[in-house]
Amino acid sequence: DIQMTQSPSSLSVFVGDRVTITCRASQSISSYLNWYQQKPGKAPKLLIYAVSTLRSGVPSRFSGSGSGTDFTLTISSLQPEDFATYYCQQSYSIPLTFGPGTKVDIK
Amino acid sequence: QVQLQQSGPGLVKPSQTLSLTCAISGDSVSSNSATWNWIRQSPSRGLEWLGRTYYTSKWYNDYALSVKSRITINPDTSKNQFSLQLSSVTPDDTAVYYCARATFNWFDSWGQGSLVTVSS
């Protein structure tokens, strides 16, 4: 199985801050990396697929980059509605696996 | 717009079988361009993909090794839904269970989630 790790596990930030979350795969997954946002009590929502393609309706302050084993999710200017937990997921091989999540909360 | 509506009991006794159903609207369980998945989430395991069913000329299933001996995912074309059965449950199977559609192996539509507690 491909193991996914994320860092940091949590971070406290101000509205307007730039946020960068890192995701690492235990082996190369090419560009098969996706990002989700989850708010308490809700299902995860797809934000970005194939490393850098924003799902329709996702604000342009979100961006993704990387390839191989190392990937990043960047939020250019954090908005109040962005406080949530973010997960990466590899879609390279079965079993599909997720990272442990990064919780972004208010400083 | 695809919508997934989950149903099933929220409490299951140890050693019994957990059963959940996911009703699909806005797409077909027989679609050639999607797979139909079950995922669970717990504090100890995080988000864990359990398995999927999909149709490309015939029906296929893939299951996570961690549950492979206990899991069955079945499509129901007459009702446009799919189901999860997990047998011989223990308290470690307590989790929020989600159904989800995947296209190209990313999950673009999710059910509302079902908290299933395994307890006597």
Side-chain angles (χ1 to χ4, degrees):
Chain A
D1 298 4
I2 297 175
Q3 309 302 319
M4 308 298 293
T5 58
Q6 289 181 235
S7 61
S9 57
S10 64
L11 68 164
S12 296
V13 298
F14 293 106
V15 171
D17 282 354
R18 181 182 181 89
V19 171
T20 300
I21 298 169
T22 298
C23 174
R24 178 165 289 173
S26 60
Q27 66 183 74
S28 177
I29 56 171
S30 184
S31 297
Y32 296 91
L33 190 282
N34 314 300
W35 290 98
Y36 300 82
Q37 177 192 68
Q38 186 179 33
K39 296 184 178 179
K42 300 293 187 182
K45 288 185 178 180
L46 178 66
L47 288 178
I48 291 173
Y49 57 90
V51 174
S52 59
T53 303
L54 262 60
R55 187 180 190 183
S56 176
V58 173
S60 60
R61 63 181 179 271
F62 290 91
S63 63
S65 64
S67 68
T69 60
D70 295 317
F71 303 88
T72 59
L73 171 69
T74 300
I75 309 171
S76 60
S77 177
L78 199 78
Q79 298 303 298
E81 60 268 29
D82 301 335
F83 290 98
T85 301
Y86 294 85
Y87 296 92
C88 60
Q89 175 244 331
Q90 65 83 15
S91 47
Y92 181 80
S93 67
I94 296 297
L96 305 172
T97 50
F98 293 85
T102 296
K103 184 177 181 180
V104 178
D105 62 21
I106 301 172
K107 195 168 189 177
Chain B
Q1 181 183 355
V2 177
Q3 292 190 325
L4 304 177
Q5 182 67 40
Q6 299 176 216
S7 59
L11 180 63
V12 182
K13 291 182 177 1
S15 79
Q16 294 191 343
T17 297
L18 178 160
S19 296
L20 295 172
T21 299
C22 183
I24 304 164
S25 57
D27 199 351
S28 170
V29 72
S30 304
S31 167
N32 284 310
S33 58
T35 65
W36 304 95
N37 299 259
W38 287 97
I39 296 160
R40 68 183 177 183
Q41 185 173 32
S42 64
S44 60
R45 296 177 178 269
L47 284 163
E48 180 186 17
W49 177 83
L50 298 176
R52 67 183 183 178
T53 189
Y54 60 100
Y55 183 81
T56 50
S57 304
K58 68 174 188 177
W59 288 101
Y60 294 89
N61 291 100
D62 295 306
Y63 298 130
L65 279 178
S66 61
V67 294
K68 192 169 186 176
S69 62
R70 303 191 289 130
I71 191 172
T72 304
I73 296 175
N74 282 324
D76 182 343
T77 57
S78 66
K79 295 181 179 179
N80 200 31
Q81 62 187 29
F82 62 109
S83 63
L84 167 70
Q85 291 193 306
L86 188 66
S87 65
S88 304
V89 297
T90 72
D92 192 45
D93 293 310
T94 294
V96 176
Y97 286 75
Y98 294 101
C99 60
R101 184 185 80 165
T103 51
F104 300 102
N105 284 344
W106 54 75
F107 304 105
D108 58 6
S109 296
W110 294 68
Q112 78 274 25
S114 301
L115 173 60
V116 179
T117 301
V118 179
S119 175
S120 54

